[in-house]
Amino acid sequence: MHTGLVDRELAQGLQAAGVDRVMLDVIGDRETIRKVYHLNASPEDFYRSVEYLVEADLQVAPHVVIGLHYGAVLGEEECLRRLSAYNLHSLVLVVLSFTEGTPMEMIQPPQVASVAKLFRSARELFAHTPIILGCARPAGEYKVELDKQAVLAGLDGIAYPADGLVAYSKSQGR
């Protein structure tokens, strides 16, 4: 189940209902939470949700959206650092993609080099946790380069990999 913010009671209810794995977006910057998600919440609310879900013995797979603040990287590094304190099932990294007809349709994604740096940080912080590059990321040449950077950083899986990535992975000994 992909949830939003949860309290302890809801986390326990999810476990009692037989939910086995929970995903939720975790945002590490207060302004991004307010301006993009339009929530009156703080990063602490997101970390507390992760804590409640882990305490409820659920397999937790947080999603960190890189570039969520209109393409800028704000709070993602701190978010990764804070999430590394929890016993997570896996970590999913995704990258902001523009969507036609939305206020962000003209937004440029973060530079691949900035995202690659976060990939490497995540791999260091989550040495024993599977890290997946999720399906949400820009298409085209950006995706090809980003997917290569995910391989080089040692991420464990890539949803919908770019054409040629399997051969590239093999050429890198992965």
Side-chain angles (χ1 to χ4, degrees):
M1 175 179 284
H2 201 132
T3 70
L5 296 172
V6 301
D7 58 19
R8 183 171 273 123
E9 182 180 3
L10 179 55
Q12 292 169 350
L14 293 171
Q15 197 278 337
V19 171
D20 58 355
R21 186 166 305 151
V22 177
M23 299 163 281
L24 73 156
D25 296 350
V26 180
I27 307 167
D29 178 70
R30 184 181 295 273
E31 279 299 296
T32 304
I33 295 166
R34 189 177 65 73
K35 289 185 175 181
V36 177
Y37 273 42
H38 307 288
L39 293 175
N40 183 20
S42 72
E44 291 304 319
D45 295 317
F46 287 87
Y47 304 132
R48 199 169 14 261
S49 290
V50 171
E51 182 177 330
Y52 294 150
L53 293 165
V54 170
E55 283 176 0
D57 202 29
L58 294 161
Q59 296 178 359
V60 183
H63 287 51
V64 176
V65 184
I66 301 169
L68 182 60
H69 194 98
Y70 301 94
V73 177
L74 294 175
E76 286 87 340
E77 184 79 41
E78 174 66 7
C79 185
L80 292 173
R81 189 186 68 71
R82 292 287 304 271
L83 286 173
S84 70
Y86 299 102
N87 183 22
L88 303 175
H89 174 270
S90 56
L91 175 70
V92 180
L93 303 174
V94 294
V95 180
L96 178 74
S97 303
F98 71 88
T99 302
E100 279 187 50
T102 71
M104 289 198 202
E105 70 180 322
M106 300 304 288
I107 296 299
Q108 294 298 309
Q111 295 293 315
V112 170
S114 297
V115 179
K117 181 179 179 224
L118 288 168
F119 287 171
R120 292 188 301 274
S121 292
R123 182 72 286 158
E124 288 176 23
L125 289 165
F126 295 88
H128 304 292
T129 302
I131 304 173
I132 310 302
L133 177 57
C135 60
R137 59 190 187 277
E141 285 303 312
Y142 187 100
K143 178 179 178 175
V144 172
E145 185 55 34
L146 191 71
D147 288 8
K148 287 180 179 178
Q149 292 300 317
V151 169
L152 294 174
L155 272 58
D156 299 289
I158 300 174
Y160 304 107
D163 289 342
L165 192 72
V166 172
Y168 178 78
S169 296
K170 287 179 181 179
S171 78
Q172 299 301 307
R174 302 289 318 273

Coordinates of all heavy atoms in Angstrom, one line a residue, residues 58-139:
L58 N 5.8 -3.7 9.7 CA 5.5 -3.7 8.2 C 6.9 -3.5 7.5 O 7.8 -3.0 8.0 CB 4.6 -2.5 7.9 CG 3.2 -2.6 8.5 CD1 2.5 -1.3 8.5 CD2 2.4 -3.7 7.7
Q59 N 6.9 -4.1 6.3 CA 8.0 -3.9 5.4 C 7.9 -2.5 4.8 O 6.9 -2.2 4.1 CB 8.1 -4.9 4.3 CG 8.3 -6.3 4.8 CD 8.3 -7.3 3.7 OE1 8.1 -7.0 2.6 NE2 8.5 -8.6 4.1
V60 N 8.8 -1.6 5.1 CA 8.6 -0.2 4.7 C 9.6 0.1 3.6 O 10.8 -0.1 3.7 CB 8.9 0.8 5.9 CG1 8.6 2.2 5.5 CG2 7.9 0.4 7.1
A61 N 9.1 0.7 2.5 CA 9.9 1.1 1.4 C 9.6 2.6 1.1 O 8.8 2.9 0.2 CB 9.5 0.2 0.2
P62 N 10.3 3.5 1.8 CA 10.1 4.9 1.5 C 10.5 5.3 0.1 O 11.5 4.7 -0.4 CB 10.9 5.6 2.6 CG 11.5 4.6 3.4 CD 11.3 3.3 2.8
H63 N 9.9 6.3 -0.4 CA 10.2 6.9 -1.7 C 10.8 8.3 -1.4 O 10.1 9.1 -0.8 CB 9.0 7.0 -2.6 CG 8.5 5.7 -3.2 ND1 8.3 4.6 -2.4 CD2 8.3 5.3 -4.4 CE1 7.9 3.6 -3.2 NE2 7.8 4.0 -4.4
V64 N 11.9 8.6 -2.0 CA 12.5 9.9 -1.9 C 12.4 10.5 -3.3 O 13.0 9.9 -4.2 CB 13.9 9.9 -1.4 CG1 14.5 11.3 -1.4 CG2 13.9 9.4 0.1
V65 N 11.7 11.6 -3.5 CA 11.5 12.2 -4.8 C 12.6 13.3 -5.0 O 12.6 14.3 -4.3 CB 10.1 12.8 -5.0 CG1 10.0 13.4 -6.4 CG2 9.0 11.8 -4.7
I66 N 13.6 13.0 -5.8 CA 14.7 13.9 -6.0 C 14.3 15.1 -6.9 O 13.8 14.8 -8.0 CB 15.9 13.2 -6.5 CG1 16.3 12.1 -5.6 CG2 17.1 14.1 -6.8 CD1 17.4 11.1 -6.1
G67 N 14.5 16.3 -6.5 CA 14.1 17.4 -7.3 C 12.7 17.9 -7.1 O 12.1 18.6 -7.9
L68 N 12.0 17.4 -6.1 CA 10.6 17.6 -5.9 C 10.3 19.1 -5.8 O 9.2 19.6 -6.1 CB 10.1 16.9 -4.6 CG 8.6 17.0 -4.3 CD1 7.7 16.5 -5.4 CD2 8.3 16.3 -3.0
H69 N 11.2 19.9 -5.3 CA 11.0 21.4 -5.1 C 11.2 22.1 -6.4 O 12.2 22.8 -6.6 CB 11.8 21.9 -4.0 CG 11.4 23.3 -3.5 ND1 10.6 23.5 -2.4 CD2 11.6 24.5 -4.1 CE1 10.4 24.8 -2.3 NE2 11.0 25.4 -3.3
Y70 N 10.3 21.9 -7.4 CA 10.4 22.5 -8.7 C 11.7 22.3 -9.4 O 12.2 23.2 -10.0 CB 10.1 24.0 -8.5 CG 8.7 24.3 -7.9 CD1 8.6 24.5 -6.6 CD2 7.6 24.3 -8.7 CE1 7.3 24.7 -6.0 CE2 6.3 24.5 -8.2 CZ 6.2 24.7 -6.8 OH 5.0 24.9 -6.2
G71 N 12.2 21.1 -9.2 CA 13.5 20.7 -9.9 C 14.7 21.0 -9.0 O 15.8 20.5 -9.4
A72 N 14.6 21.7 -7.9 CA 15.7 21.9 -7.0 C 15.9 20.8 -6.0 O 14.9 20.2 -5.6 CB 15.5 23.3 -6.3
V73 N 17.1 20.5 -5.7 CA 17.4 19.5 -4.7 C 17.5 20.2 -3.3 O 18.4 20.9 -3.1 CB 18.7 18.8 -5.0 CG1 19.1 17.8 -3.9 CG2 18.6 18.1 -6.4
L74 N 16.5 20.0 -2.5 CA 16.4 20.7 -1.2 C 15.9 19.6 -0.1 O 14.8 19.2 -0.2 CB 15.4 21.8 -1.2 CG 15.7 23.0 -2.0 CD1 14.5 24.0 -1.9 CD2 16.9 23.7 -1.5
G75 N 16.8 19.2 0.7 CA 16.4 18.3 1.8 C 16.6 16.9 1.5 O 16.4 16.0 2.4
E76 N 16.9 16.5 0.3 CA 17.0 15.1 0.0 C 18.2 14.4 0.7 O 18.0 13.3 1.2 CB 17.1 14.9 -1.5 CG 15.9 15.1 -2.3 CD 15.6 16.5 -2.7 OE1 16.2 17.5 -2.1 OE2 14.9 16.8 -3.7
E77 N 19.3 15.1 0.8 CA 20.5 14.5 1.5 C 20.1 14.2 3.0 O 20.4 13.2 3.5 CB 21.7 15.4 1.4 CG 22.9 14.8 2.0 CD 23.6 13.8 1.1 OE1 23.7 14.0 -0.1 OE2 24.1 12.8 1.7
E78 N 19.5 15.2 3.6 CA 19.1 15.1 5.0 C 18.1 14.0 5.2 O 18.1 13.2 6.1 CB 18.6 16.4 5.5 CG 18.1 16.4 6.9 CD 19.1 16.1 8.0 OE1 20.3 16.0 7.7 OE2 18.7 15.8 9.2
C79 N 17.2 13.9 4.2 CA 16.1 12.9 4.3 C 16.8 11.5 4.2 O 16.4 10.6 5.0 CB 15.2 13.1 3.1 SG 13.8 12.0 3.1
L80 N 17.7 11.3 3.3 CA 18.4 10.0 3.3 C 19.1 9.7 4.6 O 19.1 8.6 5.1 CB 19.4 10.0 2.1 CG 18.8 10.0 0.7 CD1 19.9 10.2 -0.3 CD2 18.0 8.8 0.4
R81 N 19.8 10.7 5.1 CA 20.5 10.5 6.4 C 19.6 10.1 7.5 O 19.8 9.2 8.2 CB 21.3 11.8 6.8 CG 22.2 11.6 8.0 CD 22.8 12.9 8.4 NE 21.8 13.8 9.0 CZ 21.2 13.6 10.2 NH1 21.5 12.6 10.9 NH2 20.4 14.5 10.7
R82 N 18.4 10.8 7.6 CA 17.5 10.5 8.6 C 16.8 9.1 8.4 O 16.6 8.3 9.4 CB 16.4 11.5 8.7 CG 16.8 12.9 9.1 CD 17.1 13.0 10.6 NE 16.0 12.6 11.5 CZ 15.0 13.4 11.9 NH1 15.0 14.6 11.6 NH2 14.1 12.9 12.7
L83 N 16.5 8.8 7.2 CA 15.9 7.5 6.9 C 16.9 6.3 7.2 O 16.4 5.2 7.5 CB 15.4 7.4 5.5 CG 14.2 8.2 5.1 CD1 13.9 8.1 3.6 CD2 13.0 7.6 5.9
S84 N 18.2 6.6 7.1 CA 19.1 5.5 7.3 C 19.1 5.0 8.8 O 19.7 3.9 9.1 CB 20.5 5.9 7.0 OG 21.0 6.9 7.9
A85 N 18.5 5.7 9.7 CA 18.4 5.2 11.1 C 17.3 4.1 11.3 O 17.3 3.5 12.3 CB 18.0 6.4 12.0
Y86 N 16.5 3.9 10.2 CA 15.4 2.9 10.4 C 15.8 1.6 9.7 O 16.5 1.6 8.7 CB 14.1 3.4 9.8 CG 13.7 4.7 10.5 CD1 13.9 5.9 9.9 CD2 13.0 4.6 11.7 CE1 13.4 7.1 10.5 CE2 12.6 5.8 12.3 CZ 12.8 7.0 11.7 OH 12.4 8.2 12.4
N87 N 15.2 0.5 10.2 CA 15.4 -0.8 9.5 C 14.3 -0.9 8.4 O 13.2 -1.3 8.6 CB 15.2 -1.9 10.6 CG 15.4 -3.3 10.0 OD1 16.1 -3.4 8.9 ND2 14.8 -4.3 10.6
L88 N 14.7 -0.5 7.2 CA 13.8 -0.5 6.1 C 13.9 -1.7 5.2 O 15.0 -2.3 5.1 CB 14.1 0.8 5.2 CG 14.1 2.1 5.9 CD1 14.6 3.2 4.9 CD2 12.7 2.4 6.4
H89 N 12.8 -2.1 4.6 CA 12.8 -3.2 3.7 C 13.6 -2.8 2.4 O 14.4 -3.6 1.9 CB 11.4 -3.5 3.3 CG 11.3 -4.6 2.2 ND1 11.3 -4.2 0.9 CD2 11.2 -5.9 2.3 CE1 11.2 -5.4 0.2 NE2 11.2 -6.4 1.0
S90 N 13.4 -1.6 1.9 CA 14.1 -1.1 0.8 C 13.9 0.4 0.7 O 13.1 1.0 1.5 CB 13.6 -1.8 -0.5 OG 12.2 -1.6 -0.6
L91 N 14.6 1.0 -0.2 CA 14.5 2.5 -0.4 C 14.3 2.7 -1.9 O 15.0 2.1 -2.7 CB 15.8 3.2 0.0 CG 15.9 4.7 -0.3 CD1 15.0 5.5 0.6 CD2 17.4 5.1 -0.1
V92 N 13.4 3.5 -2.3 CA 13.1 3.8 -3.7 C 13.4 5.3 -3.9 O 12.9 6.2 -3.2 CB 11.6 3.5 -4.0 CG1 11.3 3.8 -5.5 CG2 11.2 2.1 -3.7
L93 N 14.2 5.5 -4.9 CA 14.6 6.8 -5.3 C 13.9 7.1 -6.7 O 14.0 6.3 -7.6 CB 16.1 7.0 -5.5 CG 16.9 6.6 -4.2 CD1 18.4 6.7 -4.6 CD2 16.6 7.6 -3.1
V94 N 13.2 8.2 -6.8 CA 12.6 8.7 -8.0 C 13.0 10.1 -8.3 O 13.5 10.8 -7.4 CB 11.1 8.5 -8.0 CG1 10.7 7.1 -7.9 CG2 10.5 9.3 -6.9
V95 N 12.9 10.5 -9.5 CA 13.3 11.9 -9.9 C 12.1 12.6 -10.5 O 11.3 12.0 -11.3 CB 14.4 11.8 -10.9 CG1 14.9 13.2 -11.3 CG2 15.6 11.0 -10.4
L96 N 11.9 13.9 -10.1 CA 10.8 14.7 -10.6 C 10.8 14.7 -12.1 O 11.8 14.9 -12.8 CB 10.9 16.1 -10.1 CG 9.8 17.0 -10.6 CD1 8.5 16.7 -9.8 CD2 10.2 18.5 -10.4
S97 N 9.6 14.4 -12.6 CA 9.3 14.5 -14.1 C 8.2 15.5 -14.3 O 7.3 15.6 -13.5 CB 8.9 13.2 -14.6 OG 9.9 12.2 -14.4
F98 N 8.3 16.3 -15.3 CA 7.2 17.2 -15.6 C 6.0 16.5 -16.1 O 6.1 15.4 -16.7 CB 7.6 18.3 -16.6 CG 7.8 17.8 -18.0 CD1 6.7 17.7 -18.9 CD2 9.0 17.3 -18.5 CE1 6.8 17.3 -20.2 CE2 9.1 16.8 -19.8 CZ 8.0 16.8 -20.6
T99 N 4.8 17.0 -15.8 CA 3.6 16.4 -16.2 C 2.8 17.5 -16.9 O 2.5 18.6 -16.3 CB 2.8 15.9 -15.0 OG1 3.6 14.9 -14.3 CG2 1.5 15.2 -15.4
E100 N 2.4 17.3 -18.1 CA 1.6 18.3 -18.9 C 0.3 18.7 -18.1 O -0.3 17.8 -17.5 CB 1.2 17.7 -20.2 CG 2.3 17.9 -21.3 CD 1.9 17.5 -22.6 OE1 0.8 18.0 -23.1 OE2 2.6 16.7 -23.3
G101 N 0.0 19.9 -18.2 CA -1.2 20.4 -17.6 C -1.1 20.7 -16.1 O -2.2 20.9 -15.4
T102 N 0.1 20.6 -15.5 CA 0.3 20.9 -14.1 C 1.2 22.1 -14.0 O 1.8 22.5 -14.9 CB 1.0 19.7 -13.4 OG1 2.3 19.6 -13.8 CG2 0.2 18.4 -13.7
P103 N 1.2 22.7 -12.8 CA 2.1 23.9 -12.6 C 3.5 23.6 -12.8 O 4.3 24.5 -13.0 CB 1.8 24.3 -11.1 CG 0.5 23.7 -10.8 CD 0.3 22.5 -11.6
M104 N 3.9 22.3 -12.8 CA 5.3 22.0 -13.0 C 5.6 21.4 -14.4 O 6.7 20.8 -14.7 CB 5.8 20.9 -12.0 CG 5.9 21.5 -10.6 SD 6.9 20.3 -9.6 CE 6.4 20.8 -8.0
E105 N 4.7 21.7 -15.4 CA 4.9 21.1 -16.7 C 6.2 21.7 -17.4 O 6.7 21.0 -18.3 CB 3.7 21.3 -17.6 CG 3.4 22.7 -18.1 CD 2.1 22.8 -18.9 OE1 1.9 21.9 -19.7 OE2 1.4 23.7 -18.8
M106 N 6.7 22.8 -17.1 CA 7.9 23.4 -17.7 C 9.1 23.3 -16.8 O 10.2 23.8 -17.2 CB 7.6 24.8 -18.1 CG 6.5 25.1 -19.0 SD 6.6 24.1 -20.6 CE 7.9 25.0 -21.4
I107 N 9.0 22.6 -15.7 CA 10.2 22.4 -14.8 C 11.2 21.5 -15.4 O 10.9 20.5 -15.9 CB 9.7 21.9 -13.4 CG1 8.7 22.9 -12.8 CG2 10.8 21.6 -12.5 CD1 9.3 24.2 -12.5
Q108 N 12.5 21.9 -15.2 CA 13.6 21.1 -15.6 C 14.0 20.2 -14.5 O 14.0 20.6 -13.3 CB 14.8 22.0 -16.0 CG 14.6 22.8 -17.2 CD 14.3 21.9 -18.5 OE1 15.1 21.0 -18.7 NE2 13.2 22.2 -19.2
P109 N 14.3 18.9 -14.7 CA 14.7 18.0 -13.6 C 16.1 18.5 -13.1 O 16.8 19.2 -13.8 CB 14.7 16.7 -14.3 CG 15.0 17.0 -15.7 CD 14.3 18.3 -16.0
P110 N 16.4 18.0 -11.9 CA 17.8 18.3 -11.4 C 18.9 17.7 -12.4 O 18.6 16.8 -13.1 CB 17.8 17.6 -10.1 CG 16.7 16.7 -10.0 CD 15.7 17.1 -11.1
Q111 N 20.0 18.3 -12.3 CA 21.1 17.9 -13.1 C 21.5 16.4 -12.8 O 21.4 16.0 -11.6 CB 22.4 18.7 -12.9 CG 22.2 20.2 -13.3 CD 22.1 20.3 -14.8 OE1 22.9 19.6 -15.6 NE2 21.2 21.0 -15.3
V112 N 21.8 15.6 -13.8 CA 22.1 14.2 -13.6 C 23.2 14.1 -12.5 O 23.2 13.2 -11.7 CB 22.4 13.5 -14.9 CG1 23.0 12.1 -14.6 CG2 21.2 13.4 -15.8
A113 N 24.2 15.0 -12.6 CA 25.4 14.9 -11.7 C 24.9 15.1 -10.2 O 25.4 14.4 -9.3 CB 26.4 16.0 -12.0
S114 N 23.9 15.9 -10.0 CA 23.4 16.1 -8.6 C 22.6 14.9 -8.2 O 22.8 14.5 -7.0 CB 22.4 17.3 -8.6 OG 23.1 18.5 -8.9
V115 N 21.9 14.3 -9.0 CA 21.2 13.0 -8.7 C 22.1 11.9 -8.5 O 22.0 11.1 -7.5 CB 20.1 12.7 -9.8 CG1 19.4 11.4 -9.5 CG2 19.2 13.8 -10.0
A116 N 23.2 11.8 -9.3 CA 24.2 10.7 -9.1 C 24.9 10.9 -7.8 O 25.2 9.8 -7.2 CB 25.2 10.8 -10.3
K117 N 25.1 12.1 -7.4 CA 25.7 12.3 -6.0 C 24.8 11.7 -4.9 O 25.3 11.1 -4.0 CB 26.0 13.8 -5.8 CG 26.7 14.0 -4.5 CD 26.9 15.5 -4.3 CE 27.6 15.8 -3.0 NZ 27.1 16.9 -2.3
L118 N 23.5 11.9 -5.1 CA 22.6 11.4 -4.1 C 22.5 9.9 -4.2 O 22.4 9.2 -3.1 CB 21.2 12.0 -4.3 CG 21.1 13.5 -3.8 CD1 19.7 14.1 -4.3 CD2 21.1 13.6 -2.3
F119 N 22.6 9.3 -5.4 CA 22.7 7.9 -5.5 C 23.9 7.3 -4.7 O 23.7 6.3 -4.0 CB 22.9 7.5 -7.0 CG 21.7 7.6 -7.9 CD1 21.8 7.4 -9.2 CD2 20.4 8.0 -7.4 CE1 20.7 7.6 -10.1 CE2 19.3 8.1 -8.2 CZ 19.5 7.9 -9.6
R120 N 25.0 7.9 -4.8 CA 26.2 7.5 -4.1 C 26.1 7.6 -2.6 O 26.4 6.7 -1.9 CB 27.5 8.2 -4.6 CG 27.8 7.8 -6.1 CD 29.1 8.4 -6.5 NE 29.2 9.8 -6.5 CZ 28.8 10.7 -7.4 NH1 28.3 10.2 -8.5 NH2 29.0 12.0 -7.3
S121 N 25.5 8.7 -2.2 CA 25.2 8.9 -0.8 C 24.3 7.9 -0.2 O 24.5 7.3 0.9 CB 24.6 10.3 -0.5 OG 25.6 11.3 -0.8
A122 N 23.2 7.6 -1.0 CA 22.3 6.6 -0.5 C 23.0 5.3 -0.4 O 22.7 4.5 0.6 CB 21.1 6.5 -1.5
R123 N 23.8 4.9 -1.4 CA 24.5 3.6 -1.3 C 25.4 3.5 -0.1 O 25.4 2.5 0.6 CB 25.3 3.4 -2.6 CG 26.0 2.1 -2.7 CD 25.1 0.9 -3.0 NE 24.3 0.5 -1.8 CZ 23.2 -0.2 -1.8 NH1 22.7 -0.7 -3.0 NH2 22.5 -0.6 -0.8
E124 N 26.0 4.6 0.3 CA 26.9 4.6 1.5 C 26.0 4.5 2.7 O 26.4 3.7 3.6 CB 27.7 5.9 1.5 CG 28.8 5.9 0.5 CD 29.6 7.2 0.5 OE1 29.6 7.9 1.6 OE2 30.2 7.5 -0.5
L125 N 25.0 5.2 2.8 CA 24.1 5.2 4.0 C 23.3 3.9 4.2 O 23.0 3.6 5.3 CB 23.1 6.4 3.9 CG 23.8 7.8 4.1 CD1 22.8 8.9 3.7 CD2 24.2 8.0 5.6
F126 N 23.0 3.3 3.1 CA 22.1 2.1 3.1 C 22.9 0.9 2.5 O 22.5 0.3 1.6 CB 20.8 2.3 2.3 CG 19.9 3.4 2.9 CD1 20.1 4.7 2.5 CD2 19.0 3.0 3.8 CE1 19.3 5.7 3.0 CE2 18.1 4.0 4.3 CZ 18.3 5.3 4.0
A127 N 24.1 0.6 3.1 CA 24.9 -0.4 2.6 C 24.3 -1.8 2.5 O 24.6 -2.6 1.7 CB 26.2 -0.5 3.5
H128 N 23.3 -2.0 3.4 CA 22.7 -3.4 3.5 C 21.2 -3.3 3.2 O 20.5 -4.3 3.5 CB 23.0 -4.0 4.9 CG 24.4 -4.1 5.2 ND1 25.3 -4.9 4.6 CD2 25.1 -3.4 6.1 CE1 26.5 -4.8 5.1 NE2 26.4 -3.8 6.0
T129 N 20.8 -2.3 2.6 CA 19.4 -2.1 2.2 C 19.2 -2.0 0.7 O 20.0 -1.3 0.1 CB 18.8 -0.8 2.8 OG1 19.0 -0.9 4.3 CG2 17.3 -0.6 2.5
P130 N 18.4 -2.8 0.1 CA 18.2 -2.7 -1.3 C 17.7 -1.3 -1.7 O 16.8 -0.7 -1.1 CB 17.1 -3.7 -1.7 CG 17.1 -4.7 -0.5 CD 17.5 -3.9 0.7
I131 N 18.3 -0.7 -2.7 CA 17.9 0.6 -3.2 C 17.5 0.5 -4.7 O 18.2 -0.1 -5.5 CB 19.1 1.6 -3.2 CG1 19.6 1.7 -1.7 CG2 18.6 3.0 -3.7 CD1 20.9 2.6 -1.6
I132 N 16.3 1.0 -5.0 CA 15.7 0.8 -6.3 C 15.6 2.2 -6.9 O 15.1 3.2 -6.3 CB 14.3 0.2 -6.2 CG1 14.4 -1.1 -5.4 CG2 13.7 0.0 -7.6 CD1 15.3 -2.2 -5.8
L133 N 15.9 2.3 -8.2 CA 15.5 3.5 -8.9 C 14.2 3.3 -9.5 O 14.0 2.4 -10.3 CB 16.5 3.8 -10.1 CG 16.2 5.0 -11.0 CD1 16.1 6.3 -10.2 CD2 17.3 5.1 -12.1
G134 N 13.2 4.0 -9.0 CA 11.8 3.8 -9.3 C 11.4 4.2 -10.7 O 12.3 4.8 -11.5
C135 N 10.2 4.0 -11.1 CA 9.8 4.3 -12.5 C 9.6 5.8 -12.8 O 9.7 6.2 -13.9 CB 8.5 3.5 -12.8 SG 7.1 4.0 -11.7
A136 N 9.4 6.6 -11.8 CA 9.2 8.0 -12.0 C 10.5 8.7 -12.2 O 11.3 8.9 -11.3 CB 8.4 8.6 -10.8
R137 N 10.8 9.0 -13.5 CA 12.0 9.8 -13.8 C 11.8 10.3 -15.2 O 11.1 9.7 -16.0 CB 13.2 9.0 -13.6 CG 13.3 7.7 -14.4 CD 14.5 6.9 -13.9 NE 14.8 5.7 -14.8 CZ 14.1 4.6 -14.7 NH1 13.2 4.4 -13.8 NH2 14.4 3.5 -15.5
P138 N 12.5 11.3 -15.6 CA 12.4 11.9 -17.0 C 12.8 10.9 -18.0 O 13.7 10.0 -17.8 CB 13.3 13.1 -17.0 CG 13.4 13.5 -15.5 CD 13.3 12.2 -14.8
A139 N 12.2 11.0 -19.2 CA 12.5 10.0 -20.3 C 13.7 10.6 -21.1 O 14.3 11.6 -20.8 CB 11.3 9.9 -21.1

